[in-house]
Amino acid sequence: MKINWGTGIVIGMLAFISFIMYFVVTMMSSSDYDHDLVVEDYYKAELHYQQDIDAQENALALHEQISLERRGDSLIVLFPEGIDLEKTTGMVSLYRPSNKKLDFSIPFSEIKSSEFEIPADQLVNGRWNVKVTWQNSEKEFMFKTEIVY
């Protein structure tokens, strides 16, 4: 059987379309490729964006900043002496951009000292977004950073 150039083009196009469709079906059906929004109520969170900017500016105006340090397999959050953790309400949130199931938050009520250790069993190697928010004397503060653990 002889194949002319028109038949060859049709066969090539069908092979290319089949190749692309295979990847589309694989991406849509596999749970390894879940693509979630950063937050569930994305548009509601955007309404408070200016408050977040103000809170970050308040945190930058402090004499001492919150810092992160890696000791062995643990991640240490170092709070400055100016933050009284007993009188302050707040939250340490760790967000994993690649997997929503790994996200977790720790309230200030569970933090007892100015050096707080996040155990290694809660952290997976890769990129993390760390956000510390707190409220003290009617002012809101926010510290944000990205780390590679």
Side-chain angles (χ1 to χ4, degrees):
M1 181 170 160
K2 197 171 180 182
I3 299 177
N4 63 15
W5 63 272
T7 307
I9 290 175
V10 170
I11 290 172
M13 288 175 68
L14 288 175
F16 180 73
I17 291 170
S18 299
F19 176 72
I20 296 298
M21 289 305 295
Y22 166 76
F23 283 110
V24 168
V25 169
T26 302
M27 293 287 287
M28 297 301 278
S29 63
S30 177
S31 63
D32 293 338
Y33 303 108
D34 286 337
H35 300 288
D36 298 320
L37 289 174
V38 174
V39 292
E40 291 295 324
D41 297 327
Y42 176 77
Y43 295 108
K44 185 177 178 183
E46 281 296 312
L47 295 175
H48 302 288
Y49 191 66
Q50 184 61 46
Q51 291 172 346
D52 290 347
I53 293 171
D54 295 339
Q56 285 178 331
E57 289 176 356
N58 290 340
L60 289 174
L62 295 174
H63 294 4
E64 295 180 72
Q65 303 297 319
I66 292 176
S67 60
L68 301 174
E69 185 178 302
R70 189 168 177 179
R71 293 185 193 155
D73 288 339
S74 299
L75 181 68
I76 309 294
V77 180
L78 300 167
F79 293 98
E81 297 299 322
I83 299 176
D84 186 6
L85 296 172
E86 294 177 1
K87 297 179 182 176
T88 306
T89 59
M91 184 85 58
V92 177
S93 302
L94 280 91
Y95 164 72
R96 177 74 178 202
S98 62
N99 189 348
K100 181 171 96 172
K101 296 172 187 154
L102 296 175
D103 298 352
F104 63 95
S105 296
I106 302 162
F108 274 25
S109 60
E110 294 181 18
I111 300 172
K112 303 300 179 202
S113 70
S114 62
E115 284 191 18
F116 177 69
E117 178 181 348
I118 299 171
D121 61 346
Q122 290 185 323
L123 297 171
V124 177
N125 290 341
R127 180 175 166 229
W128 288 89
N129 293 346
V130 180
K131 181 168 96 170
V132 181
T133 56
W134 71 97
Q135 185 174 5
N136 191 358
S137 67
E138 296 147 10
K139 265 189 170 180
E140 292 185 6
F141 300 89
M142 179 186 294
F143 168 79
K144 287 172 111 174
T145 190
E146 297 175 0
I147 61 167
V148 177
Y149 181 76

